[in-house]
């Protein structure tokens, strides 16, 4: 918990996104038309997208301009709708260093920690899993990695009957707060919870433990260097490192899908270059982003595995996503209804909605956590089919092309991902994507 909040600082307000989807589409349509014109194919006119907009559209655009923020890239923008782009390239590459993942390992944010604690999908599931595990082995010992300022999971374990809990936290302010919370807990024996400042990779414990609790999962599961942390815990801290019962969560997965993004054109060059490959992080309820195909699991990190990826290049087989007519039409309907509610005439809304829905912007990623060996306690940041839902995790989206690319049902999008895993948990990993668009 000590590393956050990747999940708060740059979030798009979900309520605002829902309320203003039509306004964003409307404003972005005019913005995109100001910025682009066709001349024997595709030519970019580097204008400010807020210039020369109709007064009503400019007003909407200005009012929404704070909805999207990207801290690392120094970018702030909003609005966008794909036009009928001509002859776009069919192979795209994107890469970034996951500084956002590791920067939260030592940061402290009251709002961020509160968001995690109050996540109704995350926290009750962890509490249930901890209680079930401890009740199955009363008197067990536990290592809580990233206990946070509330020492929440450490206290749950102690109250459920754990004999000893080592609660590790790297942020000094969070450590002080955690110790205060533990001291106030009069319903557990003194000394049951020991709050220790530092990183587990740099600490020694007086004994090996029965259970490791480690919610150190990013928007891409691996981006907070959980693999390096767990490999170290396997070697030095666990009595049974290859027993799945030794971990909560048992494993973490990353799902991915190609997406269309209604705000993409406003991020067209020269703004696209300012991203420098850094992905966007969106609220999981942000409906400006819609999936084009069924999601697939691209990372499956089983904490008890004796063959967790070692530091260095981690490359897996490519994944092929088939663009479906069901997804395209559902997206078209979503955008169309949003525009009509703005209000906008149906004959004007229809082409804007369709051009937005039938375009490819990039690849979205989000995590899923499996908390028990039976697989009955899970935490999903998005729905099982990628549905929008409330979560303190963000959806990470890599824009792999400077402008939206037209697509149709039956097209295939082939993704190859390589991660450069680090040995030092404070050294961010590097992610490289290669994406091919194959026309049906």
């Amino acid at each position: 918990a000590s590393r956050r909040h990747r999940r708060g600082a740059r979030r798009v307000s979900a309520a605002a996104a829902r309320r203003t989807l039509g306004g964003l589409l409307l404003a972005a349509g005019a913005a995109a038309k100001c910025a682009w014109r066709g001349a024997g194919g595709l030519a970019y006119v580097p204008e400010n997208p807020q210039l020369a907009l109709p007064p009503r559209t400019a007003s909407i655009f200005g009012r929404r301009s704070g909805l999207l923020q990207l801290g690392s890239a120094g970018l702030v923008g909003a609005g966008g709708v794909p036009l009928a782009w001509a002859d776009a390239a069919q192979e795209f590459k994107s890469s970034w260093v996951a500084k956002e993942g590791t920067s939260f390992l030592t940061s402290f944010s009251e709002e961020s920690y509160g968001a995690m604690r109050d996540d109704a999908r995350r926290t009750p599931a962890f509490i249930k899993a901890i209680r079930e595990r401890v009740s199955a082995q009363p008197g067990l010992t536990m290592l809580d990695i990233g206990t946070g300022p509330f020492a929440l999971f450490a206290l749950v374990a102690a109250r459920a009957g754990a004999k000893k809990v080592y609660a590790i936290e790297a942020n000094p302010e969070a450590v002080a707060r955690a110790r205060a919370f533990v001291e106030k807990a009069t319903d557990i024996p003194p000394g049951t919870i020991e709050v220790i400042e530092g990183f587990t990779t740099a600490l020694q414990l007086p004994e090996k433990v029965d259970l490791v609790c480690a919610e150190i999962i990013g928007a891409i599961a691996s981006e907070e260097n959980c693999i390096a942390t767990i490999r170290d815990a396997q070697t030095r801290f666990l009595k049974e490192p290859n027993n799945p019962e030794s971990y909560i969560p048992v494993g973490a997965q990353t799902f991915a899908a190609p997406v269309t993004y209604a705000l993409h054109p406003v991020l067209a060059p020269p703004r696209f270059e300012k991203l420098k490959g850094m992905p966007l992080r969106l609220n999981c309820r942000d409906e400006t982003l819609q999936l084009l195909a069924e999601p697939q699991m691209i990372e499956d990190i089983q904490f008890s595995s004796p063959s967790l990826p070692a530091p260095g290049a981690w490359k897996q087989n490519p994944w092929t996503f088939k663009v479906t007519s069901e997804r395209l039409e559902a997206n078209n309907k979503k955008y169309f209804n949003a525009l009509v509610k703005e209000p906008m005439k149906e004959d004007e809304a229809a082409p804007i909605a369709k051009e937005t829905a039938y375009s490819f912007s990039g690849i979205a990623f989000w995590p899923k956590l499996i908390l028990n060996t039976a697989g009955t306690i899970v935490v999903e940041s998005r729905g099982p089919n990628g549905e929008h839902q409330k979560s303190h995790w963000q959806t990470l989206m890599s824009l792999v092309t400077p402008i939206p690319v037209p697509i149709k049902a039956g097209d295939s999008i082939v993704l190859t991902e390589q991660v450069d895993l680090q040995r030092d948990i404070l050294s961010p990993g590097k992610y490289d994507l290669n994406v091919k668009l194959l026309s049906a």
Side-chain angles (χ1 to χ4, degrees), residues 22 53 185 217 220 346 366 372 440:
L53 296 181
I217 308 304
I220 294 181
E346 290 189 3
W366 62 93
N372 65 342

Side-chain angles (χ1 to χ4, degrees), residues 103 173 205 227 253 257 271 275 284 297 329 367 369 377 385:
S103 67
E173 184 177 353
L205 295 182
I227 294 175
Q253 300 168 342
R271 286 188 172 118
L275 290 171
C284 288
M297 182 173 62
E329 282 307 307
L369 285 67
I377 308 177
N385 296 311

Side-chain angles (χ1 to χ4, degrees), residues 233-251:
Q234 285 184 349
T235 302
R236 301 193 301 120
F237 296 134
L238 278 160
K239 296 176 182 177
E240 298 183 44
N242 301 128
N243 181 354
E245 294 283 358
S246 297
Y247 302 90
I248 297 176
V250 172

Side-chain angles (χ1 to χ4, degrees), residues 370-400:
I370 300 89
L371 303 190
N372 65 342
T373 54
T376 56
I377 308 177
V378 299
V379 182
E380 298 193 79
S381 57
R382 299 181 72 95
N385 296 311
E387 300 91 341
H388 299 90
Q389 65 180 25
K390 185 176 181 180
S391 175
H392 80 283
W393 272 284
Q394 295 168 326
T395 296
L396 184 147
M397 180 184 62
S398 174
L399 289 177
V400 299

Side-chain angles (χ1 to χ4, degrees), residues 1-4 104-110 112-114 116-117 122 144-155 166-182 193-198 213-216:
S2 63
R3 74 275 189 207
R4 284 53 149 201
F104 299 104
L105 288 167
T106 56
S107 65
F108 180 89
S109 165
E110 191 77 43
S112 303
Y113 282 116
M116 287 185 289
R117 177 197 59 200
R122 168 191 181 267
D144 182 21
I145 300 177
T147 199
F150 310 117
L152 178 59
F153 297 153
L155 286 165
Y166 300 97
I168 312 301
E169 174 57 52
N171 181 274
E173 184 177 353
V175 168
R177 295 275 299 276
R179 286 172 175 159
F181 267 93
V182 171
I193 299 175
E194 184 177 348
V195 180
I196 303 172
E197 182 178 341
C213 181
E215 200 282 77
I216 48 177

Side-chain angles (χ1 to χ4, degrees), residues 32-343:
K33 289 175 183 176
C34 286
W36 293 85
R37 68 168 179 240
L42 213 148
Y44 178 64
V45 183
E47 299 174 7
N48 184 322
Q50 296 196 51
L51 295 179
L53 296 181
R56 178 172 178 272
T57 302
S59 174
I60 293 171
F61 189 90
R63 198 165 63 241
R64 316 303 191 211
S65 63
L67 286 178
L68 174 67
Q69 299 180 30
L70 181 71
S72 294
L75 177 69
V76 177
V81 56
L83 302 177
W85 308 115
D87 297 334
Q90 299 301 298
E91 184 168 354
F92 318 97
K93 296 181 185 295
S94 177
S95 64
W96 69 92
V97 176
K99 295 179 181 178
E100 297 298 320
T102 57
S103 67
F104 299 104
L105 288 167
T106 56
S107 65
F108 180 89
S109 165
E110 191 77 43
E111 179 184 1
S112 303
Y113 282 116
M116 287 185 289
R117 177 197 59 200
D118 299 336
D119 187 329
R121 287 186 170 85
R122 168 191 181 267
T123 302
F126 268 88
I127 290 173
K128 181 180 180 181
I130 293 168
R131 286 174 174 168
E132 287 188 1
R133 178 67 181 86
V134 175
S135 66
Q137 187 181 350
L140 64 66
T141 53
M142 185 177 96
L143 170 62
D144 182 21
I145 300 177
T147 199
F150 310 117
L152 178 59
F153 297 153
L155 286 165
V156 169
R159 287 166 175 151
K163 179 177 69 176
K164 182 72 176 182
V165 180
Y166 300 97
I168 312 301
E169 174 57 52
N171 181 274
E173 184 177 353
V175 168
R177 295 275 299 276
R179 286 172 175 159
F181 267 93
V182 171
E183 289 175 4
K184 292 177 183 177
T186 57
D187 56 339
I188 60 174
T192 301
I193 299 175
E194 184 177 348
V195 180
I196 303 172
E197 182 178 341
F199 292 101
T200 55
T201 52
L203 294 173
Q204 298 287 338
L205 295 182
E207 61 179 327
K208 290 195 173 184
V209 299
D210 301 293
L211 175 65
V212 165
C213 181
E215 200 282 77
I216 48 177
I217 308 304
I220 294 181
S222 60
E223 73 168 347
E224 294 184 7
N225 285 338
C226 67
I227 294 175
T229 299
I230 296 303
R231 282 172 58 90
D232 177 68
Q234 285 184 349
T235 302
R236 301 193 301 120
F237 296 134
L238 278 160
K239 296 176 182 177
E240 298 183 44
N242 301 128
N243 181 354
E245 294 283 358
S246 297
Y247 302 90
I248 297 176
V250 172
Q253 300 168 342
T254 300
F255 284 79
V259 296
T260 180
Y261 185 47
L263 311 188
H264 190 172
V266 165
L267 302 179
R271 286 188 172 118
F272 183 80
E273 282 71 23
K274 293 181 181 179
L275 290 171
K276 298 180 180 179
M278 289 297 292
L280 308 179
R281 294 173 185 267
L282 307 177
N283 191 294
C284 288
R285 290 186 289 176
D286 187 342
E287 295 184 343
T288 58
L289 179 144
Q290 298 289 339
L291 275 57
L292 299 171
E294 298 307 303
Q296 295 187 45
M297 182 173 62
I298 67 163
E299 289 185 342
D300 187 13
I301 305 168
Q302 296 300 310
F303 285 11
S304 62
S305 172
S307 56
L308 283 174
W314 181 26
K315 185 175 182 179
Q316 304 182 63
N317 293 328
W319 299 269
T320 299
F321 300 86
K322 185 74 72 174
V323 178
T324 65
S325 58
E326 293 81 7
R327 289 276 184 181
L328 294 175
E329 282 307 307
N331 298 346
N332 186 20
K333 184 178 180 180
K334 172 73 71 175
Y335 290 139
F336 176 79
N337 290 338
L339 285 166
V340 170
K341 289 178 182 178
E342 190 51 31

